[in-house]
Amino acid sequence: MGKTQKKKNLSDKVRKTKTSTEVKNNPFEVKINKQKFNILGRKTKHDRGLPGVSRSKAIKKRRETLLQEYKQKDKSRAFIDKRFAEYDTRLAPEEKMMKRFALERQRTYEKKDIYNLNEDEELTHYGQSLADIEKLIDNPDSESDTEDKGILSAEFTAGAHFGGGGGLLRKKVSSEEQAHEEDEEKKPKSRKELIEDLIVKSKKEKYERQTQREKATELTLKLDNDWKEIQALLAHKTPKSERNNKEEAKSKQEDYDIIVRELGFEMKAKPSDRLKTEQELAKEERERLQKLEADRLRRMRGEDPENETCKKPDHISADDLNDGFILDKSDKQTLMYKDGKFMIEGEQCEDEELEAEDEESENQEEDSNEEGDADSSDADEDIGGGGDSDDAENSEASDGSESEDNHSDLNSDSGNEGKEAVAKEKSEQKVKVKEQVLSEEEKKAMTEAAKSELPFTFPAPETLNDLKSLLVDYSAEKQCVIIERILKCNHPSLAAGNKVKLEKLFSFLFEYVGELATGQPPGFRCIDMMVPHLYNLCQMFPDSASSHIQSVLKNSTHKIDQMVETKGRGTLPGLETIVYLKITAALYPTSDFRHPVVTPALVHMSQIITKCSVGTLQDVATGLIICCLFLEYVSLSQRFVPEVINFLLGVLHLAVPNTENLGYTLVPPFRCSGRASELLLIKDKAALDSWEMKPVSLSAVIRVEEEDELGQNHFRLSCVALSLDLIKRCIVLYGSLPAFHEVMQPIRTLISQHLPMDQFPQQLQKLSQEVLKDIESKPRLYNGLVFEKKKPVPLKLYTPKIKEVLDFGRKRGGSRQERERMRLVHKHKREFKAAIREIRRDNQFLARHRLAETLNKDSERKRKVKDLFNSLSAQEGEWKSLKKKKLKG
């Protein structure tokens, strides 16, 4: 009979029920993916989703993997065993050791420097380098003193080092010597005595070695001499081949020796002085000019500059050897003979000076004819010859008195010594008087010459009038010298204010050049010589130079604008503006696309030839010169300037007699009819025969209104020729433009149809034909506009296009390979997007982690700071309480 089962309580049921670990899903976290169509039999995998659960799983996975890698980043706390084949059980221990040794040797003897070709393997012995061991080994056979220097003998080291090693290294000596040594040992030696003994012993050993070496040398020489004596007795004949070889070797050695000796006598390179800087050169040049100016002023005062420079020193030291002299001239005198008499070069010069002075004095006192002058000159020559003979006798007498062997000559000439002395004194007095007169005349001539010379130093002018006062009285060459000396004396590196002075000098010189152009006659030669100095100043101070030229061009443009506003037309500028524009082209590059100075100059020139009216021959010439400047400006950049083409067309129109039915259009300032429309017409046929083709000069522009009718007609023909020549230059310059023929069409029409070339001279006719030929020879560089060729559009067909679709929304066209490729492309695209999405989420996870770390660090730091302030405030409170107690007590 079995046991009766106990009745289970409700509590037991509850306790024994299986606790479910699964947490029921939150219905608000379930995402239901709706489908458009419900298809029977299709299993759906993603109809429901749990984004919260999947997100938590992904975060948990990243914490276990990505976060741990981030924490272990840049940390190496683990020891990795990198021994070769340590855990390879297939290798025996001996093989492991051999391979490790081989790797170690390979690592040791790898080339450290790939460019070091002399790196060899270092050999060792018992761990020491053989090279180091060899350095410590002494050569016992060496006879040099340098190797034995400082090496102590074995005897000395045996006795002095550590007591001799207990007597083991000492030599056996006799009993007497031993007793003597014992007595000496009892006496203690000082350090000085020991060092002296050491020096004496070392010198003794050195002397012995030297004597041995000398004896060995003597014995060697003696043996060589004996061998030479014996060798002569030996009859030994060398073979012919050996003798030939010896001769060839000897000849080769001789050639080599000759070349070596020649190389010894060749010129060797010498070190040159360093190049001086610009400041040093400017300083030396200023010092040189200052020295020359001081010499000129001294000559103006009549002082001798040689006396100033040749002053003797005030004090001579006792140690002075008196060798600081310079031999300016050779002390050797040239021996000469004149009229069969002996002379010296210095005496001849003095006699010639006396003769010249006598001739001048006689010419001033007497007014005689040519014969009398010739007689007087002959007489002077005779007087000079007598003086020469007396000087010669005196020199002979002096030579005889100085010699010690010719006492007989002194006795023979003793009768004439009195006369010779008197004659010599008279000649010396005469020479002194002449020298005084000559020196005064020379001083006067020297003063006048110094006054006529240009000063070597000039101050920088402060105003334009100062510059004019410096230059107005001199020629063009001297004006350039003055400007050059001003630049050298006021170089910017010599003083602080010189830069401002030279900047002002550029503006003054630029305005002075304009005034030279307006002079009568214009100073074009001086202007050409001033341009290099303007260029140097422009290179030194480009900012100030460009600003000044811009202001000049701006003022000229403003004047033309005011005239156009008031009168309705402007007047062509004068020669100063043309000179300014020409100098601007020389100072700055004209090929730049945009330049702060050249671009305003181009705009100003275009304003001149478009807004200024042409009413006289001078205006025509000025406009043609501006066109020449225009073409000079654009010669490198080949920039198209339509103003030049229109102006040349208008100038040629002035030579057309019939102004009706024109095939071209004129542009202002030219008009088809009017007072100046026939300005270049030539009514006098006689001027055509006498005209010659010449270039139009700037000076002719000013004088054209003052000439007669014939000269004006010649000038009209020259203007037409210049216009045709400028058109030829335009053809060469603009021949590569696509619209070249359209641009030149009005000029071609005017020359071929309206210009009366049969009435012009033969040279002009030839020039016009060349222009037309050049225009027609240029090819057309574009084709006419035509409709684009297109394939004809077919008519619309209304037949439907049938396409097989097996599955809705999917295309099943193509072969099997095409479908496989499309499937792989779709899969790659999907995986690529998934990878980008995961990377983005990883970055967001790391960013959140870094932000949390930063916030934790900041909160910890704030907490520590707060605790620190609390402790400090507590300490301060305790200190204040103690302070109050002390004050109360």
Side-chain angles (χ1 to χ4, degrees):
M1 183 175 170
K3 292 182 179 180
T4 58
Q5 293 183 356
K6 292 183 179 180
K7 191 177 181 179
K8 295 181 180 179
N9 298 327
L10 184 60
S11 60
D12 295 335
K13 291 180 180 180
V14 173
R15 186 166 49 251
K16 288 183 179 181
T17 53
K18 187 178 180 181
T19 57
S20 62
T21 57
E22 296 180 359
V23 180
K24 291 183 179 181
N25 295 330
N26 189 356
F28 294 101
E29 292 182 355
V30 178
K31 182 181 179 184
I32 299 173
N33 298 322
K34 294 182 179 180
Q35 293 182 357
K36 293 183 179 179
F37 306 102
N38 292 324
I39 301 172
L40 296 174
R42 175 182 290 182
K43 294 181 180 179
T44 56
K45 298 180 181 179
H46 307 291
D47 55 346
R48 290 172 180 266
L50 299 173
V53 175
S54 60
R55 189 181 301 111
S56 62
K57 288 180 181 179
I59 292 173
K60 183 179 179 181
K61 188 176 181 180
R62 287 190 178 92
R63 283 176 184 168
E64 294 174 356
T65 56
L66 185 62
L67 185 61
Q68 300 303 322
E69 291 179 4
Y70 176 75
K71 289 180 179 179
Q72 295 297 330
K73 183 183 176 183
D74 300 331
K75 293 181 181 179
S76 57
R77 293 180 295 178
F79 293 96
I80 302 173
D81 191 357
K82 294 184 179 180
R83 290 179 292 177
F84 178 77
E86 177 63 22
Y87 302 103
D88 192 357
T89 57
R90 293 174 295 178
L91 295 176
E94 292 81 3
E95 294 180 358
K96 292 180 182 181
M97 295 297 292
M98 289 296 293
K99 289 190 176 182
R100 289 176 185 175
F101 179 73
L103 289 174
E104 185 68 23
R105 296 281 291 181
Q106 184 179 359
R107 191 182 302 111
T108 304
Y109 296 117
E110 281 181 353
K111 276 185 176 291
K112 297 178 181 179
D113 193 352
I114 61 174
Y115 300 106
N116 188 3
L117 303 178
N118 299 324
E119 187 177 353
D120 298 328
E121 184 177 355
E122 186 179 5
L123 302 178
T124 58
H125 180 70
Y126 285 103
Q128 289 183 332
S129 176
L130 292 179
D132 297 339
I133 294 173
E134 288 176 357
K135 291 179 183 177
L136 301 175
I137 295 176
D138 297 332
N139 188 6
D141 298 332
S142 178
E143 296 179 354
S144 63
D145 297 337
T146 58
E147 294 181 0
D148 298 336
K149 185 176 181 181
I151 299 174
L152 303 179
S153 63
E155 181 182 356
F156 181 79
T157 54
H161 292 176
F162 306 106
L168 297 175
L169 300 176
R170 295 184 181 180
K171 294 181 180 180
K172 295 180 179 180
V173 295
S174 60
S175 60
E176 295 179 359
E177 292 177 353
Q178 190 174 1
H180 182 67
E181 288 178 359
E182 289 176 358
D183 294 338
E184 289 182 352
E185 285 178 359
K186 292 179 182 178
K187 298 178 181 180
K189 291 185 178 182
S190 63
R191 179 178 177 81
K192 186 176 181 182
E193 292 176 351
L194 290 173
I195 293 173
E196 289 177 354
D197 293 342
L198 175 62
I199 294 171
V200 169
K201 287 184 179 181
S202 64
K203 287 184 177 180
K204 183 180 179 182
E205 291 177 357
K206 186 176 180 180
Y207 176 71
E208 289 176 355
R209 288 197 303 272
Q210 188 174 359
T211 53
Q212 289 178 3
R213 190 160 49 250
E214 289 177 355
K215 288 179 181 179
T217 305
E218 290 177 358
L219 292 173
T220 304
L221 293 174
K222 185 178 179 182
L223 182 62
D224 292 341
N225 294 329
D226 295 342
W227 167 250
K228 289 179 181 178
E229 293 176 358
I230 297 170
Q231 189 180 13
L233 301 175
L234 299 174
H236 177 69
K237 186 176 181 181
T238 57
K240 189 174 182 180
S241 61
E242 293 183 3
R243 280 183 291 174
N244 293 334
N245 293 334
K246 288 182 179 179
E247 290 178 359
E248 291 177 1
K250 187 176 180 181
S251 63
K252 289 181 180 179
Q253 291 178 358
E254 289 178 355
D255 296 339
Y256 176 76
D257 295 338
I258 290 170
I259 294 172
V260 170
R261 293 191 189 98
E262 289 178 355
L263 291 174
F265 288 105
E266 282 187 356
M267 290 291 293
K268 296 181 179 179
K270 296 181 180 180
S272 59
D273 298 335
R274 70 173 182 86
L275 294 176
K276 296 182 179 179
T277 60
E278 186 179 357
Q279 297 179 359
E280 293 175 351
L281 293 173
K283 187 176 180 182
E284 289 181 0
E285 187 66 20
R286 185 183 67 171
E287 291 176 355
R288 185 183 70 85
L289 293 175
Q290 288 177 352
K291 185 178 178 182
L292 292 174
E293 180 65 13
D295 293 341
R296 189 185 71 85
L297 295 175
R298 197 179 297 113
R299 283 187 270 111
M300 283 181 63
R301 294 191 295 267
E303 300 176 2
D304 190 3
E306 295 182 357
N307 296 334
E308 297 291 335
T309 58
C310 301
K311 289 182 179 178
K312 294 183 179 180
D314 297 334
H315 173 70
I316 299 176
S317 174
D319 298 331
D320 192 3
L321 299 178
N322 199 16
D323 57 353
F325 55 85
I326 299 173
L327 294 176
D328 294 334
K329 298 180 180 179
S330 178
D331 295 337
K332 296 180 181 179
Q333 295 180 349
T334 306
L335 301 179
M336 301 176 64
Y337 289 90
K338 184 176 182 180
D339 298 334
K341 297 180 182 180
F342 173 73
M343 292 183 63
I344 302 175
E345 185 178 3
E347 294 178 356
Q348 183 193 12
C349 295
E350 292 176 359
D351 294 338
E352 289 177 357
E353 290 177 359
L354 290 174
E355 290 174 5
E357 290 171 4
D358 292 338
E359 288 178 2
E360 291 177 1
S361 61
E362 288 180 2
N363 291 332
Q364 291 176 0
E365 291 175 359
E366 299 177 358
D367 297 331
S368 61
N369 55 11
E370 296 178 357
E371 294 178 359
D373 294 338
D375 295 335
S376 62
S377 63
D378 294 334
D380 291 336
E381 289 178 0
D382 295 335
I383 292 170
D388 293 339
S389 63
D390 294 339
D391 293 339
E393 291 175 1
N394 293 334
S395 64
E396 290 174 0
S398 62
D399 294 336
S401 62
E402 289 175 0
S403 64
E404 296 179 358
D405 299 332
N406 298 330
H407 297 288
S408 60
D409 295 337
L410 289 172
N411 295 329
S412 63
D413 296 335
S414 60
N416 298 326
E417 284 182 357
K419 295 180 181 180
E420 291 175 357
V422 173
K424 189 174 182 180
E425 289 178 359
K426 289 181 179 180
S427 62
E428 288 179 355
Q429 290 177 359
K430 189 174 182 180
V431 168
K432 287 180 180 179
V433 172
K434 296 291 183 182
E435 284 181 356
Q436 291 177 359
V437 175
L438 185 62
S439 63
E440 291 177 359
E441 292 179 356
E442 281 187 351
K443 286 181 180 179
K444 188 175 180 181
M446 181 175 62
T447 304
E448 293 177 356
K451 289 180 180 179
S452 63
E453 288 181 0
L454 275 177
F456 290 93
T457 58
F458 290 92
E462 295 294 334
T463 59
L464 180 60
N465 294 328
D466 295 342
L467 181 63
K468 290 179 182 178
S469 61
L470 289 175
L471 304 177
V472 69
D473 296 331
Y474 297 103
S475 61
E477 291 80 3
K478 289 187 177 181
Q479 288 183 18
C480 291
V481 172
I482 291 170
I483 297 298
E484 184 178 358
R485 290 178 180 176
I486 290 174
L487 293 176
K488 290 179 179 179
C489 295
N490 299 275
H491 197 269
S493 61
L494 300 177
N498 288 348
K499 181 179 179 182
V500 180
K501 293 180 181 179
L502 293 184
E503 288 177 354
K504 292 181 180 178
L505 178 63
F506 177 85
S507 60
F508 298 154
L509 194 60
F510 198 76
E511 294 178 8
Y512 179 71
V513 165
E515 292 187 2
L516 289 176
T518 57
Q520 295 294 337
F524 293 123
R525 183 166 173 269
C526 185
I527 292 172
D528 291 338
M529 300 178 73
M530 289 293 179
V531 170
H533 299 299
L534 285 171
Y535 180 79
N536 293 333
L537 287 171
C538 182
Q539 294 297 317
M540 293 170 67
F541 314 107
D543 295 337
S544 61
S546 60
S547 62
H548 179 72
I549 296 176
Q550 285 174 355
S551 64
V552 171
L553 295 175
K554 186 176 180 181
N555 293 335
S556 181
T557 306
H558 186 61
K559 288 181 182 177
I560 295 175
D561 290 337
Q562 284 184 344
M563 294 176 66
V564 171
E565 288 178 2
T566 55
K567 298 181 181 180
R569 57 185 178 85
T571 57
L572 287 165
L575 281 179
E576 69 276 7
T577 304
I578 297 174
V579 170
Y580 290 154
L581 295 171
K582 180 69 176 176
I583 293 174
T584 302
L587 297 182
Y588 296 101
T590 57
S591 60
D592 294 354
F593 182 76
R594 186 179 290 105
H595 194 273
V597 179
V598 177
T599 303
L602 289 171
V603 173
H604 182 53
M605 286 192 290
S606 65
Q607 183 193 32
I608 290 173
I609 61 178
T610 54
K611 292 185 178 181
C612 298
S613 61
V614 178
T616 60
L617 291 176
Q618 184 176 352
D619 295 340
V620 174
T622 305
L624 290 175
I625 293 171
I626 296 295
C627 292
C628 292
L629 288 176
F630 242 130
L631 294 179
E632 182 181 351
Y633 270 67
V634 300
S635 59
L636 294 176
S637 61
Q638 295 184 353
R639 185 176 298 171
F640 178 64
V641 185
E643 292 87 350
V644 175
I645 305 296
N646 293 330
F647 192 87
L648 294 177
L649 178 66
V651 170
L652 291 178
H653 174 74
L654 298 179
V656 174
N658 188 9
T659 58
E660 296 178 357
N661 299 324
L662 300 176
Y664 52 86
T665 305
L666 290 178
V667 179
F670 297 98
R671 298 178 182 177
C672 296
S673 60
R675 184 173 57 86
S677 60
E678 299 179 354
L679 193 60
L680 297 182
L681 280 178
I682 300 172
K683 299 178 181 179
D684 188 5
K685 305 301 180 184
L688 301 176
D689 300 331
S690 60
W691 176 77
E692 293 181 0
M693 184 180 289
K694 294 181 181 179
V696 178
S697 61
L698 290 175
S699 58
V701 175
I702 304 173
R703 301 193 306 267
V704 64
E705 301 295 338
E706 301 175 359
E707 293 182 357
D708 54 358
E709 187 65 25
L710 181 62
Q712 290 183 0
N713 288 331
H714 287 172
F715 189 77
R716 291 186 178 95
L717 292 173
S718 298
C719 289
V720 174
L722 180 58
S723 301
L724 293 174
D725 186 59
L726 290 176
I727 291 172
K728 286 187 66 176
R729 291 175 61 182
C730 292
I731 293 169
V732 175
L733 195 61
Y734 303 134
S736 59
L737 291 177
F740 171 75
H741 287 278
E742 282 71 18
V743 170
M744 292 294 174
Q745 180 63 32
I747 293 177
R748 182 171 56 184
T749 304
L750 188 147
I751 295 175
S752 60
Q753 299 179 9
H754 300 282
L755 199 63
M757 299 308 301
D758 54 348
Q759 300 178 5
F760 286 158
Q762 190 68 27
Q763 295 175 346
L764 279 179
Q765 294 180 12
K766 184 178 179 181
L767 186 60
S768 63
Q769 291 174 2
E770 291 178 358
V771 170
L772 292 174
K773 187 177 179 181
D774 291 342
I775 293 173
E776 293 173 356
S777 63
K778 295 295 179 180
R780 291 184 178 272
L781 301 177
Y782 68 92
N783 297 323
L785 294 176
V786 294
F787 287 106
E788 185 179 358
K789 293 182 179 180
K790 294 182 180 180
K791 188 177 180 180
V793 181
L795 298 175
K796 292 183 179 182
L797 300 177
Y798 297 100
T799 305
K801 183 179 180 181
I802 300 171
K803 187 175 181 181
E804 183 182 4
V805 178
L806 299 179
D807 294 336
F808 290 101
R810 294 184 181 181
K811 295 180 181 179
R812 294 294 183 180
S815 61
R816 183 177 180 183
Q817 289 82 6
E818 185 68 20
R819 289 196 299 271
E820 185 68 21
R821 190 186 69 81
M822 293 297 294
R823 186 182 65 81
L824 292 175
V825 168
H826 178 67
K827 187 176 181 181
H828 171 266
K829 190 182 296 184
R830 185 177 57 194
E831 294 295 333
F832 184 74
K833 289 182 179 179
I836 292 175
R837 185 167 55 251
E838 291 298 323
I839 291 170
R840 191 181 297 115
R841 290 174 181 175
D842 291 345
N843 291 333
Q844 291 174 358
F845 174 78
L846 291 176
R848 287 195 299 269
H849 181 72
R850 292 193 194 100
L851 179 61
E853 286 183 349
T854 305
L855 293 176
N856 292 333
K857 289 179 182 178
D858 292 345
S859 62
E860 185 67 20
R861 181 178 57 82
K862 290 179 181 179
R863 185 187 60 79
K864 290 181 180 180
V865 171
K866 189 175 181 180
D867 294 344
L868 185 62
F869 274 111
N870 291 335
S871 62
L872 290 175
S873 61
Q875 290 179 7
E876 188 175 2
E878 292 176 359
W879 178 74
K880 287 183 178 180
S881 62
L882 289 173
K883 190 175 180 181
K884 288 180 180 179
K885 289 180 181 179
K886 288 181 181 180
L887 291 174
K888 290 179 180 179

